[in-house]
Amino acid sequence: MKRHLYLLMLTLMIVVASELQVPAVMPEMARDLGVSTSSVGLLVSIFAIGMALGGPIIAFVLRHRPPKKALLSVVAVYAFPEMLVPLIHEYWWVALMRVVTGCLAGAAVGLSIVYATRLAPRPDKIGEAVSVVLSGIMVGTVIGLPASSLIASRFDWQATFYVLGAAALLVFVISLTALPPRRTASADDSAKDLRNLRLPALWSRYLVSFLTIGAAYAAFSYFTPLLEQTAGFSADATTLVLLAYGLCSFVGNLIVGKLADKHAVGVLRFGHALLFTSLGVLALTAQSQPIVVVTVLIVGLAGVTMNPPLVTRVVEVGGSGNLVSTIHTSVITMGITIGTTISAVTIGVFGDDPAVAMWTGSAFALLAALTLAIQTIRARNPRPAADLVAVS
């Protein structure tokens, strides 16, 4: 099972790395396309919007296809708009290609999670299987920007798109023979998947996911200015700290995955408390380099690593159908976008200080903890309701 999960992990690593390739080559792209750097920066938001809105649409279209065929269709198609970008010299056509790749990336993440749940040997191993696959997000986040920057410095910015497009095609070819098939969702399964989207309990769990990942990214998105401007680290030292952060996220994700199936709520409670406290400490002590390093690494252990228990809780009430899983990915993507945006606003309001973003992340973590507490209290005192069916 593990080698198949690592292939899915590699798929996520590639699509996440492609999300981060544009920030690595902004000045070069802006110069070649004849637009401002801020206009190129919009390509990042466009990609994220494509992930959030287009992913569920593609999942809906592919809902009657077997998991392997659905995922590999997306990966194969994804490679082509990725490799078309260097051949286009018009900004709006490049933007369109980024929308398309964003839609396909969102679908790839959701379908990979669905596939991981089908590859789990038994239901109580779903969280562990998902954690292995989601570690691709950690690795892609860590290496995406520096790898793209390195490729661009050795060749040009266009080469980053060719390399990732070729990598997607390579993964497609390997997966075609290596991934085991799984049954197609029946018409009844697809109908249940749609019905489950009407469950209030599912959307309340989506809300916890939104707030939890929003907390992590509200802070993480501004680690670089915090480390360099406030804490006084050099650019090289900042890179090392961020690499250590990524390593902690990778290790933490695997540890949390082991606990996610049996202790999802407990893991989330502990993670929210740790995230709330560490971000508050980071905001208060942002000029102390030793404390900053320690707290950044703690955030690495307790931030995006909470994905596996979030997925486990969603599967408990909504099943592991294509639409439920892909919309969960969209909700998480919106958490990233909204968390980052609110931090940008609060930083602007309170004197352009990146430490303010840490307070924003801490507030998101507190809201996530309170939302989870309300849900667990209601679960202990359920009101009479009709039986609800979940997709397995």
Side-chain angles (χ1 to χ4, degrees):
M1 177 188 77
K2 282 290 179 70
R3 70 178 185 276
H4 302 138
L5 295 175
Y6 288 132
L7 263 179
L8 298 178
M9 181 192 82
L10 193 58
T11 301
L12 293 199
M13 187 188 79
I14 290 169
V15 298
V16 170
S18 72
E19 183 179 9
L20 297 171
Q21 68 186 141
V22 168
V25 296
M26 274 187 189
E28 296 87 349
M29 285 190 73
R31 185 172 57 250
D32 283 2
L33 295 173
V35 297
S36 65
T37 301
S38 61
S39 294
V40 175
L42 285 175
L43 296 176
V44 180
S45 300
I46 287 170
F47 188 98
I49 291 170
M51 284 189 72
L53 302 181
I57 294 172
I58 294 173
F60 178 78
V61 172
L62 297 176
R63 67 191 186 281
H64 295 310
R65 301 199 71 181
K68 180 176 178 177
K69 287 185 177 180
L71 176 61
L72 293 189
S73 298
V74 168
V75 173
V77 174
Y78 167 89
F80 291 99
E82 179 73 10
M83 290 192 288
L84 274 176
V85 168
L87 303 175
I88 301 170
H89 303 287
E90 194 68 40
Y91 174 79
W92 293 110
W93 282 105
V94 171
L96 177 60
M97 291 300 100
R98 294 305 284 172
V99 171
V100 173
T101 51
C103 293
L104 293 165
V109 174
L111 293 171
S112 293
I113 292 172
V114 170
Y115 212 149
T117 63
R118 303 287 180 88
L119 291 174
R122 54 182 190 271
D124 64 351
K125 289 290 185 179
I126 285 177
E128 185 177 345
V130 167
S131 73
V132 174
V133 175
L134 288 177
S135 61
I137 294 177
M138 319 299 169
V139 178
T141 301
V142 172
I143 71 169
L145 196 149
S148 294
S149 181
L150 177 64
I151 293 169
S153 66
R154 295 291 178 88
F155 302 100
D156 50 35
W157 69 265
Q158 291 93 337
T160 66
F161 288 85
Y162 288 131
V163 168
L164 284 174
L169 285 177
L170 180 62
V171 168
F172 166 77
V173 171
I174 295 172
S175 300
L176 198 61
T177 56
L179 283 178
R182 288 293 183 268
R183 69 176 180 84
T184 306
S186 66
D188 188 46
D189 287 339
S190 297
K192 288 176 183 175
D193 195 23
L194 277 170
R195 286 200 300 271
N196 285 345
L197 290 175
R198 298 198 295 266
L199 298 176
L202 176 63
W203 287 94
S204 69
R205 295 190 181 201
Y206 280 163
L207 178 59
V208 173
S209 298
F210 172 86
L211 293 170
T212 301
I213 303 303
Y217 273 87
F220 170 71
S221 299
Y222 299 91
F223 274 0
T224 297
L226 181 85
L227 291 166
E228 294 183 359
Q229 297 172 20
T230 309
F233 285 100
S234 67
D236 289 342
T238 296
T239 300
L240 289 175
V241 173
L242 292 177
L243 284 173
Y245 165 90
L247 180 61
C248 286
S249 294
F250 179 77
V251 173
N253 182 71
L254 296 179
I255 294 171
V256 168
K258 296 283 187 181
L259 303 171
D261 291 302
K262 295 182 179 179
H263 308 286
V265 172
V267 169
L268 288 175
R269 283 174 178 163
F270 181 77
H272 291 150
L274 201 57
L275 198 56
F276 171 77
T277 304
S278 59
L279 289 178
V281 171
L282 187 54
L284 291 170
T285 61
Q287 294 181 340
S288 173
Q289 290 188 347
I291 297 177
V292 165
V293 171
V294 172
T295 48
V296 164
L297 298 184
I298 291 173
V299 174
L301 289 170
V304 292
T305 57
M306 286 190 276
N307 258 315
L310 294 173
V311 172
T312 298
R313 295 187 76 239
V314 164
V315 170
E316 283 176 356
V317 297
S320 58
N322 282 7
L323 286 175
V324 167
S325 296
T326 307
I327 289 177
H328 190 207
T329 299
S330 297
V331 168
I332 288 172
T333 302
M334 291 305 297
I336 294 171
T337 304
I338 298 300
T340 302
T341 301
I342 291 178
S343 281
V345 172
T346 55
I347 287 172
V349 170
F350 293 101
D352 204 29
D353 181 1
V356 174
M358 308 305 115
W359 287 120
T360 305
S362 188
F364 264 80
L366 179 60
L367 287 173
L370 292 174
T371 304
L372 180 64
I374 291 170
Q375 290 175 13
T376 52
I377 290 171
R378 286 179 175 173
R380 292 194 202 105
N381 304 285
R383 290 178 297 178
D387 290 335
L388 300 173
V389 183
V391 180
S392 58

